[in-house]
Amino acid sequence: MAKLAAEISSKTDALAKRHKQSAIISRLTVTCFMAMRSGYARKHLGAVFEEILVALATRINDDFGAPPISASDISRHLGLPRSNVRRCLEVLIDEGVIRKEGEHGYRGELDWLAARIDAEYFLKIRDAIVAAADELKALDAPGPRVAE
């Protein structure tokens, strides 16, 4: 009976921890997307969500030092239709977020980033990531041991 109670308690503790982790990551994700959206003139996140994903995929590719990324690669990586990716790329080029390089490649526009080095939205994102990391680490910290 005691063993069964210990197993139930362990599963309950694991579920409570997983719930807390999920809440932390959810809060982080919402904070990040809402902060990123603030850089767009449109009214709601849904209107710019795909553009944000395409811009992020381009930045990730640039960070790896890979050749310019193609619309097809972005489409495959994100699971978005190529037509949507192409539309997003056109908008992002018009807004100066990315640039076309070569016939089929795209890179992030460094001038766009440089103009936003100390942008408030970026600082919010950084702070949200640090806070979430601290909370997640605290959940994994060894707690007081209960005597058996």
Side-chain angles (χ1 to χ4, degrees):
M1 188 70 151
K3 184 177 178 183
L4 180 60
E7 286 178 18
I8 291 171
S9 176
S10 176
K11 287 183 181 181
T12 301
D13 291 347
L15 181 58
K17 180 179 176 181
R18 179 64 180 88
H19 174 74
K20 184 66 175 169
Q21 289 169 330
S22 178
I24 292 166
I25 291 169
S26 296
R27 193 170 47 252
L28 168 66
T29 304
V30 168
T31 299
C32 290
F33 276 111
M34 294 307 293
M36 283 185 261
R37 195 225 47 89
S38 71
Y40 287 83
R42 285 172 229 117
K43 294 182 180 179
H44 61 87
L45 181 60
V48 296
F49 187 75
E50 286 184 346
E51 291 169 23
I52 290 172
L53 289 176
V54 169
L56 293 173
T58 305
R59 295 279 177 222
I60 291 167
N61 187 72
D62 291 351
D63 186 53
F64 286 141
I69 193 167
S70 69
S72 294
D73 288 338
I74 294 170
S75 173
R76 200 171 20 262
H77 179 71
L78 297 177
L80 295 173
R82 249 182 309 186
S83 59
N84 292 31
V85 170
R86 285 193 183 103
R87 180 187 44 76
C88 291
L89 289 167
E90 289 173 15
V91 170
L92 292 166
I93 289 169
D94 289 346
E95 293 178 357
V97 177
I98 64 169
R99 69 179 185 279
K100 188 164 184 175
E101 193 167 295
E103 186 151 339
H104 301 290
Y106 299 88
R107 288 213 181 275
E109 184 56 68
L110 294 179
D111 290 342
W112 188 87
L113 282 179
R116 289 156 182 79
I117 281 183
D118 293 323
E120 185 178 335
Y121 78 90
F122 191 80
L123 300 175
K124 284 181 184 178
I125 292 168
R126 185 199 59 204
D127 292 346
I129 291 168
V130 170
D134 290 344
E135 288 182 72
L136 290 168
K137 283 181 191 175
L139 285 175
D140 288 333
R145 298 201 63 143
V146 176
E148 294 181 26

